[in-house]
Amino acid sequence: MRFTSRPKMNYMPGTASLIEDIDKKHLVLLRDGRTLIGFLRSIDQFANLVLQQTVERIHVGKRYGDIPRGIFIVRGENVVLLGEIQVCIEDILEEQRLQQQSRQEAEKTKHLALKERGLVMPRPDIMDEYGVQHQY
């Protein structure tokens, strides 16, 4: 009889899987709709959380503001969502650069299409403070 070894799994059931996330920045969505962002410092078997340097993020439309809350203890039954915030500034800046480049290309395409039809729209970057277009 031959036994084959099964691959070792790094999965831990329940809240034990969150031990690796301690000391990382997390976003926590609560049952009452509040959003907290802070560093996960402790967790127990009931998913009770201790967050440090916590801010409560308030959203109004597309705008938001952060209210400093300090150390925050969250009862596990109130947690709807818990996720690590992973933002690499280089990736964000590259994405922003590509987005700006895409907008510029779309604007050029629009201006060329209008020009082919005999229409010229003044570009804001070559207008002075009085709305007069200058050719440079």
Side-chain angles (χ1 to χ4, degrees), residues 7 24 28 32 34-35 38 40 43 54 59 64 74 78-80 83-84 86 100 110-111:
K24 294 180 182 175
V28 181
D32 65 2
R34 289 185 291 170
T35 301
L40 182 64
I43 188 162
T54 308
H59 293 271
Y64 68 89
V74 181
N78 292 319
V79 175
V80 174
E84 182 181 355
Q86 296 178 348
Q100 288 172 344
K110 183 172 111 179
H111 282 286

Side-chain angles (χ1 to χ4, degrees), residues 112-120:
L112 285 174
L114 290 171
K115 190 174 183 180
E116 289 173 358
R117 291 170 177 79
L119 301 169
V120 178

Side-chain angles (χ1 to χ4, degrees), residues 42-60:
S42 181
I43 188 162
D44 67 8
Q45 71 270 23
F46 304 108
N48 296 320
L49 311 174
V50 176
L51 299 172
Q52 188 177 23
Q53 297 177 7
T54 308
V55 294
E56 181 178 351
R57 181 156 289 174
I58 307 291
H59 293 271
V60 178

